[in-house]
């Protein structure tokens, strides 16, 4: 397949595929955005509670220890998974060149997924949290999610099975893998931790095997699949190297899945488990550098497109952050450095850089590409897209900077036996306040995006056939196909 | 493609057959779109292959040296990484203090107003103004409840008994608090703590201030046991 | 990589290695730990949890204590945890064999609680601290858990377990603060956290006098 001028047949085929995806994908996007707003509000509340512990402290359901896991689970299962499923299904259908069949059932699964998230969140706030990180939903909510997922993931795999003959693109490997890994992860974790709980310390191992893999083997492959699609698609050039793609994919599968125990260095585990994760974490240099070279060389000579294309700007921001956050993660796993960052605010800084700076930004980029094709309408306001980008980018940069520096100082105090514990609380306090302020920027970015999304659904603004660009194109004639 | 038309869902448009799509009505985003992406065939850079080789070599080396034979009861991957052997009394005193005492008396030794009395400058700690060394040891062993006056202020809290601490640990922490925050009183040895423990062996409840002050005051022998001199 | 079966098999087997390595094999190695006979008390160590402590661990989970408090002591060759006073020795898998789940935690926004039952054995202190943390510990950012307590009018003599409240959330005159069963269970659980039993496999295990 070459990146030549598309034929009329291929255009009709794509139009047909997009039409078949319209309902389910827009449903996953809208519910995801609704969860994003709620998740941002809860995240903001937890952040301010760390600076003002008396804020809303009279009721159990508003206590920090419930609001924080509610924030995390809403953002993971409500926002990131929903939008990831939407983007994943769209990419899969486009690349397999098959229209979606039985979309009513997929929609039903989406409704069930959202019902499961709502049920689980209510359970956490009502005091039924399991306090197993990333798996706080009570045992009576998780089966709903699992059944809903089985239907959703099945769609991805079935589409792959019935794909049109031809080359299988790198994004398809990542998506197929993600759709297969997630149920395995989720089922294992639920069986061993919630339905048939294992002995105490094994809980820690399974917990972080799950916690790290849902990031590494569910969100990361979807984010990379999207970046691998969007960058060459918008530029109209091929991805740099098929061999690097292969290397990146299989080394990610092999090494990322062994990373979990680096969250528990020094914990009650035999030396070999921790050492295996330390090695795997450092070996993550291989997939990360492979993907970074591949994306960078695809972009090379075309960075000025970032001025115009919303898709590319968000996606490239995400892809670059992926490199940064992964290298940071590898370094954090080295025991002598981990000793400083472990148990401090450095870790949530790292988590936000990964899940927001990389995944969420990449998904925003994908949505800027996909939604006009589903709605048949162009984005009504370039100014709002610019606001969305700069609020989100500055918000996440400020948040990560505050947590990284604050966590570093906190770690120094925590490790110094001559210093009282309360010093470590005091030293990080101003940074926690800055982090809370950065949350306002992110929440504002999400509000802007939500308004833009609703205006898009309602087809506000004037009817146009050309793309909404972030800046006037000037003398450049190569129109980005945003 | 012989697929049946998509089943309409709540969000769906009326079903459309491919040949019904008029290219003139297809939205501009589809028309201007490039072909689906493809892959180039550039080779993997040599420096990266070298880096991978080095990483693989390092991984094998690290695992061989840090896996503890993959056994369940090996927690220390490098046998040379020995933990410090039993600490000297000065370190032990600080360790016991941060472990068991700071929660109430605070790292500053100033306590919490009305509740947890200060240790800094306290006549109880320094055995001044009619307070004796054995009161201090007895408080740590059995605890203290109810109102207590320290430096002219009233505190009303409850200190639990710490009798599970070893004599060396109690002696070390007493010596520690008597040498911090400007305190400078003689050290207390484990033998003295053992004697106090024996003399008050029948005590089951925490003391009150009045009960303590009713017992006979005793002074710890100078430089007793192996307690360290105050720094 | 154009064939579904090969791709599928690769995706399956590569992931299976980590499932075997970090889930199945650790389960075989660590999933069936047995208590040992305590050198101090002669009874099983770690001791079984009482019903109230088990209920308390659910209160601990429900209110998300884990997000600020860890329950693991790292060995002295790796960290300063022992110097810092979190426990006399590193924690090992056997310490957690009664717990389903365990609350190892990954944050020390607040102090480590591995040995809180040793470090602060006073029930009164825990009630007061849960009710108004920043009054009991100046500078603390722990939220108040006063929703685990009830205020009631004093009938006759004050209740024996009435909490001595000093701060701004003190009850109105003639009222007292009494811990609910949840608060009592939580404190029972906290006091049960004593991972100081000398264990042969744990680095730094002190030799204790009987």
């Amino acid at each position: 397949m070459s990146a030549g001028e598309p034929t009329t047949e291929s255009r009709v085929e794509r139009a047909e595929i997009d039409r078949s995806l319209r309902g389910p994908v827009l449903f996953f996007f809208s519910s995801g955005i609704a969860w994003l707003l709620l998740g941002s509000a809860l995240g903001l509340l937890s952040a301010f509670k760390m600076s003002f512990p008396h804020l809303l402290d009279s009721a159990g359901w508003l206590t920090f220890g419930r609001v924080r896991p509610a924030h995390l689970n809403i953002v993971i299962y409500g926002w990131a998974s929903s939008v990831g499923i939407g983007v994943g299904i769209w990419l899969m259908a486009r690349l397999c060149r098959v229209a979606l069949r039985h979309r009513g059932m997929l929609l039903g699964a989406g409704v069930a997924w959202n019902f499961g998230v709502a049920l689980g969140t209510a359970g956490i706030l009502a005091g039924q949290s399991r306090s197993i990180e990333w798996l706080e939903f009570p045992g009576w909510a998780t089966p709903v999610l699992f059944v809903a997922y089985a239907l959703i993931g099945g769609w991805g795999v079935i589409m792959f099975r019935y794909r049109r003959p031809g080359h299988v693109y790198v994004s398809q490997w990542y998506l197929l893998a993600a759709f297969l890994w997630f149920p395995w992860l989720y089922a294992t974790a639920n069986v061993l931790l919630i339905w048939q709980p294992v002995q105490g310390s094994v809980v820690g191992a399974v917990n972080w095997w799950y916690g790290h893999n849902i990031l590494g083997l569910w969100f990361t492959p979807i984010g990379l699949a999207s970046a691998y699609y969007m960058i060459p698609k918008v530029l109209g050039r091929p991805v740099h190297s098929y061999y690097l793609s292969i290397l990146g994919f299989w080394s990610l599968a092999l090494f990322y899945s062994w990373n979990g125990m680096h969250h528990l260095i020094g914990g009650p585990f035999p030396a070999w488990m921790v050492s295996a994760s330390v090695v795997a974490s450092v070996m993550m240099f291989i997939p990360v550098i492979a993907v970074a070279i591949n994306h960078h060389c695809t972009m090379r000579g075309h960075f000025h497109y970032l001025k115009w294309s919303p898709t590319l700007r968000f996606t490239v921001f995400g892809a670059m952050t992926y490199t940064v956050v992964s290298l940071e993660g590898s370094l954090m796993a080295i025991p002598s450095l981990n000793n400083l960052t472990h148990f401090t605010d450095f870790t949530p800084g790292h988590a936000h850089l990964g899940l927001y700076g990389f995944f969420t930004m990449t998904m925003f980029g994908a949505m800027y590409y996909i939604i006009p094709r589903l709605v048949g309408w162009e984005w009504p306001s370039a100014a709002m897209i610019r606001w969305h980008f700069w609020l989100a980018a500055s918000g996440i940069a400020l948040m990560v900077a505050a947590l990284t520096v604050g966590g570093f100082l906190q770690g120094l105090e925590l490790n110094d036996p001559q210093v009282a514990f309360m010093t470590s609380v005091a030293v990080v306090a101003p940074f926690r306040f800055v982090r809370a302020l950065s949350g306002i920027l992110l929440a504002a970015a999400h509000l802007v995006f939500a308004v833009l999304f609703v205006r898009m659904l309602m087809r506000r603004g004037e009817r146009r056939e050309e793309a909404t660009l972030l800046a006037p194109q000037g003398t450049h004639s190569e129109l980005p196909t945003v | 493609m012989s697929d049946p038309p998509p089943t309409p869902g709540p969000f769906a448009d009326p079903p459309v057959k491919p040949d019904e799509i008029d290219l003139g009505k297809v939205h501009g985003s589809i028309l201007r779109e490039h072909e689906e992406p493809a892959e180039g065939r550039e080779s993997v850079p040599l420096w990266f292959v070298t880096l991978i080789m080095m990483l693989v070599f390092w991984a094998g080396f690290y695992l061989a040296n840090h896996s503890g034979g993959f056994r369940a009861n090996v927690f220390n991957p490098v046998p040379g990484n020995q933990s410090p052997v039993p600490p000297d009394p000065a370190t032990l005193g600080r360790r016991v203090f941060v472990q068991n005492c700071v929660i109430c008396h605070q790292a500053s030794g100033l306590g919490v107003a009305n509740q947890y009395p200060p240790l800094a400058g306290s006549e109880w700690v320094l055995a001044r103004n009619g307070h004796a060394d054995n009161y201090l040891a007895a408080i740590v062993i059995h605890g203290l409840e109810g109102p207590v006056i320290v430096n002219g202020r009233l505190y009303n809290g409850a200190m639990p008994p710490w009798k599970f601490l070893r004599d060396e640990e109690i002696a070390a922490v007493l010596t520690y608090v008597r040498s911090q925050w400007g305190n400078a009183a003689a050290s207390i040895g484990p033998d003295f703590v053992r004697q106090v423990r024996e003399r008050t062996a029948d005590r089951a409840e925490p003391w009150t201030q009045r009960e303590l002050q009713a017992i006979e005051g005793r002074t710890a022998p100078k430089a007793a046991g192996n307690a360290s001199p105050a720094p | 990589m154009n064939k579904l079966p090969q791709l599928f098999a690769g995706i399956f087997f590569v992931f299976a290695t980590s499932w075997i390595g970090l889930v199945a094999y650790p389960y075989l190695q660590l999933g069936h730990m047995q208590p040992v006979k305590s050198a101090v008390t002669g009874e099983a160590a770690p001791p079984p949890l009482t019903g109230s402590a088990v209920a308390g661990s659910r209160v601990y989970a429900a209110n998300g204590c884990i997000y600020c408090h860890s329950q693991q002591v790292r060995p002295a060759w790796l960290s300063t945890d022992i110097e810092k006073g979190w426990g006399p020795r590193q924690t090992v898998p056997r310490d957690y064999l009664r717990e389903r789940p365990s609350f190892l935690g990954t944050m020390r926004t607040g102090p480590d609680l591995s040995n809180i039952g040793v470090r602060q054995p006073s029930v009164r202190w825990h009630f007061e601290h849960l009710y108004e943390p920043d009054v009991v510990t100046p500078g603390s950012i722990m939220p108040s858990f006063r929703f685990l307590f009830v205020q009631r009018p004093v009938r006759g003599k004050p209740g024996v377990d009435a909490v001595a409240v000093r701060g701004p959330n003190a009850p109105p005159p003639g009222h007292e603060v009494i811990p609910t069963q949840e608060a009592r269970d939580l404190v029972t659980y906290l006091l049960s956290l004593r991972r100081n039993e000398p264990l042969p496999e744990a680095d730094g295990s002190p030799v204790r006098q009987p």
Side-chain angles (χ1 to χ4, degrees), chain A residues 1-4 6-8 10-12 14-16 18-20 22-23 26-27 94-95 97-104 107 164 167-170 173 228-229 232-236 238-245 247 268-272 275-276 278-279 282-283 285-286 289-290 293 335 369 372-373 376-378 417-418 420 464-467 479 481-482, chain B residues 1-45 47-49 51-78 91 94-95 98 102 106-108 176 180:
Chain A
M1 190 181 347
S2 74
T7 60
T8 304
S10 74
R11 283 175 177 153
V12 171
R14 279 197 281 279
E16 185 209 352
D18 284 354
R19 187 183 285 265
S20 77
R22 182 168 179 248
L26 282 179
F27 175 78
R94 274 294 193 97
L95 290 166
R97 298 167 59 209
V98 289
L100 183 69
R101 284 180 287 174
H102 306 293
R103 55 182 161 177
L107 260 172
R164 293 285 192 88
H167 181 64
V168 177
Y169 184 63
V170 48
W173 318 335
Y228 260 120
Y229 182 89
K233 180 81 176 179
V234 173
L235 296 179
V239 155
H240 178 65
S241 166
Y242 174 67
Y243 307 108
L244 280 171
S245 305
L247 179 66
F269 300 96
W272 72 265
S275 295
V278 170
V279 166
V282 175
M283 297 302 274
F285 275 124
I286 296 173
I289 293 176
I293 300 176
Y369 193 85
R373 285 158 177 79
W377 199 254
E378 295 301 331
Q418 305 298 333
R464 282 182 289 115
E465 291 297 320
E466 72 281 9
L479 179 75
T481 62
V482 287
Chain B
M1 202 160 79
S2 60
D3 294 338
T7 314
F11 272 72
D13 290 329
V16 181
K17 294 211 172 63
D19 53 1
E20 284 176 9
I21 295 183
D22 175 3
L23 203 57
K25 286 187 194 157
V26 168
H27 186 251
S29 59
I30 291 286
L31 289 180
R32 65 175 182 262
E33 181 174 322
H34 289 303
E35 194 48 84
E36 300 294 9
E39 284 144 325
R41 299 274 158 172
E42 304 290 331
S43 55
V44 179
W47 65 266
F48 189 38
V49 177
L51 178 70
I52 292 173
M53 303 275 212
M54 287 163 62
L55 279 172
V56 170
F57 179 77
W58 170 84
F61 184 79
Y62 189 91
L63 267 186
N65 285 294
H66 292 78
S67 59
F70 292 89
R71 288 198 298 278
N73 59 351
V74 178
F75 300 98
N76 186 343
V78 181
T91 314
R94 198 184 49 71
R95 194 183 282 183
V98 295
V102 279
Q106 310 295 317
S108 59
Y176 177 81
Q180 294 293 308

Side-chain angles (χ1 to χ4, degrees), chain A residues 127-149:
Chain A
Q128 297 282 318
S129 163
R130 298 270 163 180
S131 269
I132 299 172
E133 287 188 75
W134 299 65
L135 285 164
E136 283 90 346
F137 283 167
W140 38 263
T142 51
V144 181
L145 283 174
F146 188 80
V147 171
Y149 179 80

Side-chain angles (χ1 to χ4, degrees), chain C residues 108-189:
Chain C
R108 281 190 187 152
T109 305
D112 183 90
L113 299 181
S114 306
N115 288 288
I116 191 63
V118 184
R119 295 172 49 226
Q120 179 47 283
S122 162
V123 175
R124 271 183 63 179
W125 183 91
H126 280 291
F127 284 141
E128 290 167 13
H129 181 252
L130 285 170
Y131 191 88
E132 42 181 14
D134 57 346
V135 173
V136 175
T137 307
S140 169
I141 60 163
M142 178 165 136
S144 165
F145 288 89
R146 60 181 187 279
F147 56 85
L148 297 177
F149 296 79
V150 288
Q151 285 190 5
R152 68 176 191 202
V154 181
R155 289 179 227 106
K157 282 198 294 182
V160 283
D161 47 5
V163 181
V165 181
R166 292 174 170 76
N169 290 315
H175 287 65
E176 60 186 355
V177 168
I178 304 289
T180 60
Q181 189 56 42
E182 277 185 307
R184 288 171 211 272
D185 291 339
L186 179 59
V187 172
T188 310
Y189 169 70

